[in-house]
């Protein structure tokens, strides 16, 4: 199947969110533009994940249908349109795998390939960043110092001018909040 990819006006992040808003209001042209933006990439994603052209085409249709139905619930403060679309796609891939398994066709999912797939890594990183952005500033700050800057909890406490116990407590609650935010976004950090 050939999925044309034409340039769509305002196809940047804000433009894509605007297209989703228009689609939510029933604008079929906006939905067509979203299809043009994502169909080719979704088809390639489906081919890699499902190794079946027919299922890859079905994946595109399922994702676009779900995007149309859920457009009104899209919240750009939680994730970019691209992240949202590929979260829908990942769920659809799992559903298609399960359906295929029910018809007794063996499916082998290479978890190692999953981890090395660049698109998955980028989407996961963007989703984790979106989850971090949902944390309170003190929680985000302590996680960034400890996990992204490689500081020990004592070094983080010194840098923040806080007692070590406070940093430990904030780290615990920050990780708990991050896990919850990631669950809400459908991603495993």
């Amino acid at each position: 199947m050939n999925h044309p990819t034409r340039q769509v006006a305002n196809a940047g992040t804000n433009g894509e969110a605007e297209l989703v808003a228009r689609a939510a209001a029933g604008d079929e042209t906006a939905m067509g533009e979203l299809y043009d933006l994502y169909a080719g990439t979704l088809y390639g994603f489906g081919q890699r994940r499902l190794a079946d052209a027919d299922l890859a085409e079905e994946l595109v249709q399922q994702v676009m249908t779900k995007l149309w139905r859920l457009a009104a619930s899209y919240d750009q403060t939680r994730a970019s349109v691209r992240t949202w679309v590929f979260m829908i796609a990942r769920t659809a891939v799992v559903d298609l795998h399960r359906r295929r398994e029910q018809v007794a066709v063996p499916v082998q999912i290479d978890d190692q390939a999953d981890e090395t797939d660049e698109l998955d890594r980028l989407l996961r990183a963007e989703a984790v960043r979106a989850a971090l952005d949902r944390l309170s500033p003190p929680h985000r700050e302590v996680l960034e110092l400890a996990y992204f800057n490689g500081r020990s909890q004592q070094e983080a406490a010194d840098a923040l001018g806080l007692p070590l116990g406070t940093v430990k407590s904030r780290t615990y609650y920050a990780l708990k909040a991050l896990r919850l935010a990631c669950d809400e976004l459908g991603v495993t950090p």
Side-chain angles (χ1 to χ4, degrees), residues 13-138:
T13 304
N14 290 335
E16 290 177 17
E18 182 182 316
L19 288 174
V20 172
R22 286 178 34 212
D27 184 342
E28 291 182 23
T29 303
M31 198 60 216
E33 290 180 30
L34 285 166
Y35 182 90
D36 289 343
L37 279 171
Y38 287 105
T41 307
L42 285 168
Y43 181 77
F45 180 74
Q47 280 279 56
R48 285 189 308 279
R49 292 288 177 256
L50 301 163
D52 182 304
D54 291 334
L55 287 178
E57 288 179 20
E58 189 171 336
L59 172 73
V60 173
Q61 293 307 313
Q62 280 188 14
V63 171
M64 297 312 293
T65 300
K66 194 162 190 177
L67 190 146
W68 177 264
R69 282 193 340 258
L70 298 175
S73 68
Y74 171 68
D75 179 359
Q76 71 184 63
T77 63
R78 294 180 69 180
S80 70
V81 173
R82 183 172 188 80
T83 299
W84 184 59
V85 166
F86 279 94
M87 282 190 237
I88 293 170
R90 288 174 64 106
T91 302
V93 164
V94 170
D95 292 343
L96 288 168
H97 272 300
R98 285 183 185 145
R99 190 177 77 197
R100 185 164 56 179
E101 287 173 356
Q102 289 174 349
V103 247
V105 175
V107 175
Q108 289 188 348
I109 301 173
D110 185 358
D111 291 331
Q112 195 65 18
D114 234 14
E115 291 300 315
T116 60
D117 183 75
E118 183 177 350
L119 180 61
D120 278 349
R121 282 196 317 267
L122 290 172
L123 291 172
R124 185 175 293 123
E126 187 174 339
V128 169
R129 176 52 59 192
L132 277 169
D133 289 343
R134 297 176 75 189
L135 299 180
S136 69

